[in-house]
């Protein structure tokens, strides 16, 4: 654990708020560009990976879901390659198992065509397969007429990768300050649980709290984060195994990919995730980390969305709540592969929470990463999936912006 002296903390050239994969990658990138620069990362928890980055699905995405004009499309393909190279360089585990995307009925086939076209535009390898060809990859898969195969989709251990990125950042001179919480902005300084810090440039990568930090700097006026809980259900040791990830055709109107099979880095299979609306930001359990103020604010926002049915929130909330019941979520997964039984899936994994940005003015979900900035600070407001995959090129993009602001 990094230590600092209370109430007497040295100034920084760059101060990064948030020690997840995005914040650490940004700090690592800046340190590589500016040897000798004073760079500090604030992480409120006493260990890495307590939140989204350590609870990530572990999937390295390929980059064919996203429209070519999006930041996600720009960074996913390159991020996949960069993260693979990093894992090989550091000797980290990597399961290059690929992914099949399947259709449940003829109505979903046009969406497969859309994904194939996006892959071609984005320069991502994606192959159209018949059912027979798909079953050469995974004998249990089911699909309507044809499927897509992504050879570059892979699985990693997110906590293992996060730890290695932190070690790399420290090796470049970054101070990773665990157990130091951002409290507020005071003039040109940042007040933390250990004192007051000043920095030439502040970068906010605070995940679930990024919108609150941003407001202290005059940003995120028309946006707010809504937390959605992601649960995975793990296969029992004796359950039939899979060779590859299997995903359904997604609803391209929202950022959630639907219930799917994931093959973890150790070969274990899980199904999920859910996207259950939470009532406060760190609601991992029924009353864990309860915050009355947050609960009131988020409940009022969700109640308004439910009443107006903005972006089909009412339908989404009801369906996601149903996925907490094992027979239902297993039944959804059973539409993607044969011989899927409820008794094969008994253990729920560690929950994660997605910090999904909502445009409260236009009443819609933000589909892409969002960054707001000025000449003193930059705010990463929607670092949701596939942010883990995108971390390295995303960090380079943020570093470019910071360098531009300080030029």
């Amino acid at each position: 654990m990094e230590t600092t002296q209370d109430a007497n903390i040295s100034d920084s050239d760059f101060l990064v708020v948030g020690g997840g994969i995005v914040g650490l990658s940004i700090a690592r990138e800046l340190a590589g560009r500016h040897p000798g620069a004073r760079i500090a990362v604030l992480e409120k928890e006493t260990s890495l990976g307590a939140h989204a980055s350590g609870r990530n699905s572990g999937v390295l995405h390929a980059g064919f879901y996203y429209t070519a004009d999006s930041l996600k499309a720009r960074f996913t393909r390159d991020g996949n390659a960069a993260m693979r190279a990093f894992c090989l360089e550091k000797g980290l585990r990597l399961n290059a198992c690929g992914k099949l995307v399947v259709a449940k009925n003829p109505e979903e086939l046009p969406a497969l065509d859309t994904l194939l076209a996006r892959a071609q535009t984005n320069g991502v390898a994606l192959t159209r397969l018949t059912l027979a060809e798909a079953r050469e990859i995974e004998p249990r898969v089911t699909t309507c007429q044809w499927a897509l195969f992504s050879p570059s989709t892979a699985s990693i251990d997110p906590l293992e990768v996060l730890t290695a990125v932190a070690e790399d950042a420290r090796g470049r001179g970054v101070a990773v300050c665990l157990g130091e919480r951002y409290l507020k902005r005071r003039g040109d300084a940042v007040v933390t649980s250990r004192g007051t810090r000043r920095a030439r440039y502040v970068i906010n990568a605070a995940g679930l709290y990024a919108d609150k930090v941003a407001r202290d700097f005059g940003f995120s006026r028309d946006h707010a984060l809504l937390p959605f809980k992601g649960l995975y259900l793990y296969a029992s040791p004796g359950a039939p195994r899979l060779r590859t990830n299997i995903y359904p055709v997604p609803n391209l109107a929202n950022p959630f990919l639907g219930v799917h099979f994931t093959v973890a880095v150790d070969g274990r299979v899980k199904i999920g995730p859910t996207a259950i609306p939470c009532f406060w930001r760190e609601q991992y359990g029924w009353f864990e980390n309860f915050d009355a103020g947050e609960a009131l604010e988020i409940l009022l926002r969700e109640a308004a969305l439910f009443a107006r049915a903005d972006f089909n929130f009412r339908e989404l909330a009801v369906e996601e709540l149903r996925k907490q019941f094992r027979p239902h979520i297993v039944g959804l997964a059973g539409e993607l592969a044969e011989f899927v039984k409820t008794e094969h899936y008994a253990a729920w994994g560690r929950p994660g929470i997605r910090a999904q940005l909502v445009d409260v003015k236009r009443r819609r979900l933000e589909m892409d990463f969002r960054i707001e900035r000025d000449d003193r600070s930059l705010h990463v407001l929607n670092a949701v999936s596939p942010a883990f995959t995108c971390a390295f090129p995303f960090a380079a993009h943020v570093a470019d912006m910071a360098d531009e602001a300080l030029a």
Side-chain angles (χ1 to χ4, degrees), residues 214-238:
R215 288 191 198 108
D216 285 353
F217 289 80
F219 295 98
S220 193
R221 293 186 179 91
D222 297 327
H223 291 82
L225 286 169
L226 278 185
F228 289 83
K229 184 182 296 184
L231 292 168
Y232 279 96
L233 190 59
Y234 279 81
S236 303

Side-chain angles (χ1 to χ4, degrees), residues 32-265:
R33 295 185 181 201
H34 305 286
R38 299 163 301 171
I39 303 171
V41 177
L42 306 184
E43 170 50 54
K44 68 186 180 72
E45 306 297 348
T46 55
S47 61
L48 295 173
H51 300 291
S53 295
R55 300 166 184 261
N56 187 272
S57 69
V59 175
L60 292 185
H61 293 279
F64 56 84
Y65 288 116
Y66 320 111
T67 57
D69 60 347
S70 66
L71 292 175
K72 289 183 177 182
R74 287 175 57 186
F75 300 146
T76 307
R77 182 196 63 192
D78 294 343
N80 180 294
M83 193 66 78
R84 280 168 168 264
F86 181 80
C87 289
L88 292 173
E89 176 192 347
K90 301 295 183 182
L92 308 180
R93 292 179 295 167
L94 178 76
N95 184 355
C97 55
K99 173 165 73 177
L100 286 166
V101 183
V102 301
K104 299 172 195 168
N105 52 59
E107 288 72 32
E108 292 186 338
L109 294 176
L112 287 183
D113 287 325
T114 298
L115 294 180
L116 188 58
R118 288 183 180 181
Q120 292 168 346
T121 301
N122 296 344
V124 175
L126 194 65
T127 306
R128 175 173 169 154
L129 303 177
T130 64
L131 175 58
E133 290 169 333
R135 285 187 167 173
E136 291 178 9
I137 296 170
E138 172 46 60
R140 293 169 54 202
V141 74
T142 62
T143 192
C144 176
Q145 297 185 34
W146 55 282
L148 299 173
F149 181 65
S150 165
S152 59
T153 301
S155 298
I156 48 89
D157 182 322
L159 192 54
E160 194 173 85
V161 171
L162 183 68
T163 301
V165 172
E167 290 174 355
D168 215 30
R170 286 188 179 109
R172 299 182 183 192
V174 174
V176 181
C177 307
L178 301 179
E180 185 167 357
R181 180 187 294 268
Y182 169 94
L183 297 179
K184 61 183 178 180
R185 180 191 184 193
R186 180 185 291 157
D188 62 351
V190 165
V191 180
T192 80
S193 55
R194 292 193 180 147
T196 302
R197 288 182 175 271
R198 288 177 174 81
R200 290 182 65 205
Y201 205 73
V202 175
I203 296 172
N204 165 21
L208 283 161
Y209 293 91
D211 60 333
K212 295 187 73 173
V213 175
R215 288 191 198 108
D216 285 353
F217 289 80
F219 295 98
S220 193
R221 293 186 179 91
D222 297 327
H223 291 82
L225 286 169
L226 278 185
F228 289 83
K229 184 182 296 184
L231 292 168
Y232 279 96
L233 190 59
Y234 279 81
S236 303
R241 302 187 56 109
L242 292 172
R243 298 176 183 174
T244 188
N245 300 304
I246 308 176
Y247 281 57
V249 170
N251 177 356
L252 297 177
N254 73 47
F256 308 115
L257 296 180
V259 171
H260 51 263
F261 289 96
T262 299
V263 181
V265 71

Side-chain angles (χ1 to χ4, degrees), residues 14 200-201 373-378 398-407:
F14 299 100
R200 290 182 65 205
Y201 205 73
R373 59 173 176 143
D374 60 15
D375 60 353
R376 296 300 304 274
S377 67
L378 180 148
V398 169
D400 286 344
M401 290 181 167
D403 288 345
E404 178 184 302
L406 296 175

Side-chain angles (χ1 to χ4, degrees), residues 358-374:
V358 177
D359 185 326
V360 294
K361 192 172 184 179
R362 299 178 181 177
R363 303 203 300 270
R364 67 183 187 188
L365 297 177
E366 284 288 348
M367 298 292 287
D368 201 8
F369 302 139
R370 184 176 178 86
I371 297 171
E372 297 182 3
R373 59 173 176 143
D374 60 15

Side-chain angles (χ1 to χ4, degrees), residues 192-358:
T192 80
S193 55
R194 292 193 180 147
T196 302
R197 288 182 175 271
R198 288 177 174 81
R200 290 182 65 205
Y201 205 73
V202 175
I203 296 172
N204 165 21
L208 283 161
Y209 293 91
D211 60 333
K212 295 187 73 173
V213 175
R215 288 191 198 108
D216 285 353
F217 289 80
F219 295 98
S220 193
R221 293 186 179 91
D222 297 327
H223 291 82
L225 286 169
L226 278 185
F228 289 83
K229 184 182 296 184
L231 292 168
Y232 279 96
L233 190 59
Y234 279 81
S236 303
R241 302 187 56 109
L242 292 172
R243 298 176 183 174
T244 188
N245 300 304
I246 308 176
Y247 281 57
V249 170
N251 177 356
L252 297 177
N254 73 47
F256 308 115
L257 296 180
V259 171
H260 51 263
F261 289 96
T262 299
V263 181
V265 71
D266 60 2
R268 193 176 180 191
V269 176
K270 57 186 176 182
I271 58 176
T274 61
I276 301 166
C278 296
F279 299 144
W280 57 94
R281 293 169 196 255
E282 295 179 7
Q283 190 189 1
Y284 296 112
W286 285 107
F287 296 103
E288 187 175 351
N289 304 315
F290 176 72
D291 185 304
E294 281 185 12
L296 178 61
E297 174 192 344
I298 291 171
L299 273 169
L300 288 173
R301 183 167 291 117
E302 290 178 346
L305 294 173
F306 195 91
R308 294 191 302 254
D310 293 328
F311 55 82
N312 293 320
F313 181 78
R314 185 185 309 160
E315 180 182 326
L316 171 69
V318 171
E319 173 56 25
E320 293 301 322
L321 286 169
R322 292 178 66 203
K323 292 176 184 176
Q324 296 178 97
F325 299 96
R326 283 196 308 127
H328 182 65
I329 194 170
V330 174
L332 292 173
E335 297 177 347
L336 313 179
E338 296 178 328
F339 314 120
V340 179
K341 298 181 179 179
T342 303
E343 57 265 32
H344 290 155
Y345 295 86
W348 292 101
R350 189 181 183 211
I353 296 180
R354 177 189 181 103
Q356 176 62 52
L357 194 68
V358 177

